[in-house]
Amino acid sequence: MAATDTPGRVTAMPAVPGPRPLPIVGRRGTKFLFYHDPIAYHRHVYETYGTLAAFTAGGNKLLIYGPTYNQQVLGQADIFHADRVAAPGPPDSALHRLGSGLNTMSGEVHRRQRRLIQPALHRQHVDTYRDTMVAISEQYLAGWRSGQLRDIAHEMQQLTLCIASTTLFGVDATQDADSLGHLIARWIGLNAHRGVYFFPVDWPGTPFRRLLRLSDQLEAHIREMLDHKRQHTSGQGDVLELLLGARDDDGLGMSEAELIGHTTVLFLAGFETSAVAMTWTLFLLAQHPQVLGDLVDELISVLHGEAPTVAQIASLPLLDQVIKESMRLLPPAIHGGRIAVQPFAMGGYEFPAGTKVMYSEYITHHMAELYPQPERFLPSRWAGPAPAPYAYLAFLAGPRRCLGAEFAMLEMKIALSLILQRFRLALPDQARIDRAVRFTLVPKDGMPMHVLGQDRQFRKVSVRGTIHDLVDLSEHSNVH
């Protein structure tokens, strides 16, 4: 395959080693294999070809692993531009606008938009959401009763849905199923449908047509909300209200289309990734009784059953370590992509503009030279020096590091503190936990857990499923 690096000039891709296209079906079949189980594909490529490989031999997409290449790609935003994640849709469609937020922007446009958004997600402002996060969490958990069996993956989605809807948009997601938060959640889920990517045709009955129609509905809802906020400033300080008032040095604000795109991206960061991270954290704690016992001791000794204040967060080092280790071991986002807008050199090869590059948080986080015994859940590894910035990508690194990191960490620490002090969550013996990758790494069929009073009867149970491919749950793994 060839790629163009300057107008009128075609440059051949170098022969980077990588998997050969499948017989008969070719690269399209390889792409299907990748989407079927991207973690297995990344592992195969890394173990077979090393830290730099072609997605398929002769193609124009690279796979890179490890901090050295991560830094080259993620640290040079002017060379490596964002590659679209959501389904593109026709250029003048609601689907296209909804998927055109900060994460798809590059260059000066990205820098300007990031400067406009940053104050609303600065730590000092995020801290003002503490009381709202606590109130919503308290109200939500009041409905839990000892002895119930709940799908914790669903519960964490609903909890973060309520928090994100209120703090980001100033709306109450508990009122109706067609609230903004619920619509965005459905839009995110449908975007991850394989049929959208493999058959993006606007025909009756196709997932792509359903996505187009849902996008129209969602965009109309966002426009209505924006109009209402412009006419009725509440002064609540939700993120969207701040974005409506944001101005650059020239006094210019965001366009309607930019606000629409940012709305979905911000919600994805404040809802989906936090919910997934908390789900896996609760699973890992349930399977590591000693760590869980130590964490409950820390929480109760500092908080005495209450939610942490902003000042108390710093007095909970084990909670911080547990969340970081959970997001290392089972990162919500397992990979991302960039596209080179200039020729570049990497690994002894010269590549033309137009080359696509995919990095993987998952593989980097599981490199034994960076994290000894990488499949084990060892929060204590975070008690020492922090890893190099490009060795830990839970919130990415470099000039495009996630602006929602402070928001997500505060949200998770508040919710987990309340849950763990009040309840002991236990997996059913022989529960099957399989992995699936949609936008995020999720438990395929949810996370069933018994809700019990916090009786401190911590014990591990046997579980089945592909989770064992990702996490070492053998007996020695419970040594803290």
Side-chain angles (χ1 to χ4, degrees):
M1 182 175 286
T4 301
D5 62 353
T6 56
R9 178 184 171 194
V10 177
T11 305
M13 288 289 295
V16 180
R20 296 179 62 82
L22 294 177
I24 302 176
V25 292
R27 292 192 178 89
R28 189 173 182 84
T30 305
K31 184 178 179 181
F32 180 82
L33 280 181
F34 173 77
Y35 279 107
H36 176 69
D37 191 346
I39 288 179
Y41 195 87
H42 279 300
R43 277 179 164 174
H44 168 71
V45 171
Y46 172 61
E47 292 168 1
T48 307
Y49 303 100
T51 54
L52 175 67
F55 183 83
T56 53
N60 73 331
K61 180 183 283 189
L62 296 177
L63 298 178
I64 62 163
Y65 308 112
T68 300
Y69 291 138
N70 290 343
Q71 183 167 4
Q72 182 173 350
V73 172
L74 299 176
Q76 298 187 84
D78 289 336
I79 297 177
F80 298 94
H81 281 195
D83 202 4
R84 194 178 182 91
V85 177
D92 192 30
S93 66
L95 174 57
H96 185 84
R97 286 185 291 273
L98 288 166
S100 301
L102 189 66
N103 63 333
T104 67
M105 297 174 176
S106 297
E108 185 53 40
V109 172
H110 174 266
R111 284 188 286 272
R112 176 181 179 272
Q113 293 294 315
R114 188 178 174 94
R115 286 194 297 268
L116 287 170
I117 294 173
Q118 201 160 12
L121 292 172
H122 189 276
R123 181 170 184 172
Q124 288 182 329
H125 188 75
V126 167
D127 285 348
T128 67
Y129 297 138
R130 181 265 176 192
D131 291 351
T132 299
M133 291 178 176
V134 171
I136 292 172
S137 299
E138 294 266 17
Q139 181 182 6
Y140 191 84
L141 295 176
W144 288 15
R145 296 289 181 270
S146 180
Q148 294 176 330
L149 180 67
R150 288 180 174 264
D151 177 3
I152 293 302
H154 174 75
E155 298 296 333
M156 294 302 98
Q157 282 194 329
Q158 292 303 301
L159 175 56
T160 56
L161 174 70
C162 293
I163 292 174
S165 295
T166 303
T167 55
L168 297 179
F169 311 135
V171 297
D172 186 353
T174 64
Q175 293 304 307
D176 63 89
D178 285 330
S179 69
L180 178 63
H182 282 95
L183 286 174
I184 295 179
R186 285 163 52 197
W187 185 84
I188 290 170
L190 193 51
N191 253 282
H193 195 293
R194 288 179 192 160
V196 167
Y197 289 91
F198 286 98
F199 196 65
V201 179
D202 185 12
W203 287 359
T206 62
F208 190 74
R209 169 165 283 192
R210 294 202 304 273
L211 179 59
L212 289 172
R213 300 301 175 266
L214 180 58
S215 298
D216 291 339
Q217 183 183 358
L218 174 56
E219 184 183 52
H221 202 308
I222 293 174
R223 288 182 185 277
E224 182 181 335
M225 182 183 64
L226 291 172
D227 288 342
H228 180 80
K229 282 187 174 292
R230 288 189 183 102
Q231 297 171 24
H232 305 90
T233 301
S234 68
Q236 294 176 342
D238 59 81
V239 170
L240 194 55
E241 190 169 276
L242 294 178
L243 296 188
L244 279 167
R247 296 291 182 271
D248 61 17
D249 294 340
D250 296 324
L252 300 176
M254 297 180 187
S255 69
E256 185 94 344
E258 288 166 346
L259 286 164
I260 289 169
H262 293 328
T263 298
T264 50
V265 172
L266 289 170
F267 194 81
L268 177 63
F271 155 66
E272 175 76 5
T273 54
S274 297
V276 170
M278 286 199 291
T279 298
W280 287 125
T281 300
L282 291 167
F283 165 80
L284 291 167
L285 287 170
Q287 289 299 95
H288 294 82
Q290 187 170 343
V291 177
L292 177 55
D294 290 346
L295 179 54
V296 171
D297 286 344
E298 175 183 90
L299 294 172
I300 292 177
S301 66
V302 175
L303 305 178
H304 308 292
E306 301 298 321
T309 63
V310 171
Q312 286 174 319
I313 292 286
S315 301
L316 302 170
L318 183 54
L319 177 61
D320 186 68
Q321 293 165 18
V322 161
I323 294 173
K324 286 178 178 175
E325 178 67 352
S326 172
M327 295 183 76
R328 179 201 67 81
L329 186 57
L330 296 168
I334 69 158
H335 55 215
R338 297 287 186 266
I339 184 166
V341 295
Q342 302 175 28
F344 66 98
M346 182 180 286
Y349 298 95
E350 298 284 339
F351 296 97
T355 302
K356 294 187 175 184
V357 183
M358 179 175 283
Y359 57 88
S360 172
E361 294 96 324
Y362 181 86
I363 294 298
T364 296
H365 289 184
H366 285 253
M367 296 175 74
E369 61 269 36
L370 301 176
Y371 302 99
Q373 303 178 80
E375 273 69 50
R376 290 183 61 187
F377 177 62
L378 297 172
S380 58
R381 74 171 86 239
W382 293 91
Y390 293 91
Y392 184 67
L393 301 177
F395 296 106
L396 289 185
R400 299 183 70 101
R401 185 177 185 272
C402 177
L403 284 175
E406 299 290 347
F407 181 97
M409 288 298 286
L410 181 63
E411 178 182 32
M412 289 189 287
K413 287 180 178 181
I414 287 172
L416 290 172
S417 293
L418 289 171
I419 291 169
L420 294 172
Q421 288 183 96
R422 299 178 186 186
F423 302 102
R424 175 170 65 87
L425 302 181
L427 289 150
D429 194 31
Q430 297 299 316
R432 184 172 187 89
I433 308 298
D434 290 316
R435 70 174 185 262
V437 177
R438 295 172 186 136
F439 265 136
T440 51
L441 173 61
V442 298
K444 181 180 178 182
D445 299 309
M447 184 68 69
M449 301 186 86
H450 294 291
V451 176
L452 304 164
Q454 186 49 274
D455 55 11
R456 302 185 59 82
Q457 299 299 308
F458 308 124
R459 68 182 186 90
K460 176 185 174 183
V461 299
S462 295
V463 296
R464 300 173 296 129
T466 57
I467 187 63
H468 290 280
D469 296 341
L470 310 184
V471 184
D472 180 358
L473 295 173
S474 58
E475 287 305 317
H476 74 79
S477 69
N478 283 292
V479 178
H480 179 38

